Amino acid sequence: MASDENGLCVILGGGGHARVLIDSLQAAGSTVPCVILDANSSRRGATLLGVEVAGGDELLPELIERGAQFFVVAVGSTGDARPRRALYELGLSHGLQPLTVRHPSAVCSPWASAGAGLQLLPLSVVNAGARLGDNVIVNTGAIVEHDCEVGDHAHVATGARLASTVRIGAGAHVGAGAIIRQGITVGDGAVIGAGAVVVRDVEARTVVVGVPARFLREAAW
Ligand code: JB2
């Protein structure tokens, strides 16, 4: 564990998404010391890109007493944003501030706005007039065009593209490589399958797949 824990950032989750986030923080030249908490006790004592896995979430009060100030939700989501929402609320409930993670290759217009805890991963693009909520992931190579809205806890996965004026509801998941036509609304908690092409509005809490995207089943959110 870092010896100077003043300003420490607690990374919640120590899997694949955590590695991408730590890599992005390092690439951005962040000097905030970090420690990982992971639910899997067998990971305790391991390091991930040089960052120690200190234990599970039960260590939060101890870390805060020792000066932790920030947190990052490092559990990804591929269709169920509830664990990410729960970890975000956990961090807030302990008085920690969500840290923004922005890879230096990400493009984000100064005319876009975002809530707290935004994750902009390598080569992602957010254009003018876009409005992103809290705890949103714009994953590697994803595009959020001008005047789109992306709700809290939503995940625009790797290579997905939102044409202009798309509205993505809270907790929704836009799968890898999916394309959403301009002006479309995707309801809260909806899941868009990988590679889908969405040309009609998507009901809240439904899963749609294919080209053009069609209803598959109810979603978990
Ligand atoms: O409540 C929790 C918790 N639940 C799971 N608290 C903490 N601190 N950690 C938790 N975890 C841990 O998150 C698991 O023990 C596991 O080590 C980690 C999740 O790792 P995994 O590699 O399975 O998934 P991921 O969330 O890092 O990545 C997913 O989402 C990304 C966006 C994958 O689907 C990736 O392929 C995807 N790129």
Side-chain angles (χ1 to χ4, degrees):
M1 201 176 295
S3 53
D4 176 9
E5 286 162 346
N6 203 19
L8 184 69
C9 176
V10 183
I11 296 181
L12 298 169
H17 192 55
R19 289 216 311 283
V20 175
L21 293 168
I22 294 165
D23 190 46
S24 292
L25 285 168
Q26 292 173 349
S30 171
T31 56
V32 177
C34 293
V35 65
I36 295 165
L37 296 183
D38 194 285
N40 182 347
S41 57
S42 71
R43 298 200 170 188
R44 194 158 305 178
T47 57
L48 212 62
L49 277 54
V51 180
E52 182 190 353
V53 181
D57 297 341
E58 67 282 355
L59 282 188
L60 270 172
E62 183 186 323
L63 292 172
I64 287 156
E65 233 170 65
R66 291 155 76 169
Q69 289 179 9
F70 306 105
F71 76 102
V72 168
V73 176
V75 172
S77 62
T78 50
D80 184 358
R82 289 175 299 180
R84 294 191 61 253
R85 180 179 61 183
L87 286 175
Y88 188 77
E89 287 167 356
L90 181 73
L92 291 182
S93 72
H94 280 85
L96 296 173
Q97 300 166 43
L99 196 70
T100 296
V101 178
R102 179 175 171 175
H103 191 275
S105 66
V107 174
C108 185
S109 165
W111 302 103
S113 65
L118 176 65
Q119 301 178 357
L120 287 183
L121 298 182
L123 297 172
S124 59
V125 177
V126 176
N127 269 339
R131 293 179 296 282
L132 312 182
D134 294 333
N135 196 27
V136 164
I137 306 174
V138 184
N139 217 321
T140 306
I143 296 175
V144 177
E145 259 301 345
H146 70 87
D147 301 304
C148 287
E149 275 182 50
V150 181
D152 296 344
H153 317 294
H155 178 186
V156 184
T158 302
R161 284 167 280 174
L162 313 184
S164 58
T165 62
V166 166
R167 185 190 169 278
I168 303 294
H173 178 82
V174 183
I179 296 174
I180 318 261
R181 195 180 70 183
Q182 68 274 12
I184 293 289
T185 294
V186 172
D188 293 352
V191 177
I192 313 299
V197 176
V198 178
V199 294
R200 281 201 301 250
D201 288 353
V202 177
E203 293 284 319
R205 298 172 187 82
T206 61
V207 180
V208 300
V209 296
V211 181
R214 295 184 198 287
F215 175 84
L216 178 68
R217 57 181 160 78
E218 302 294 326
W221 172 271

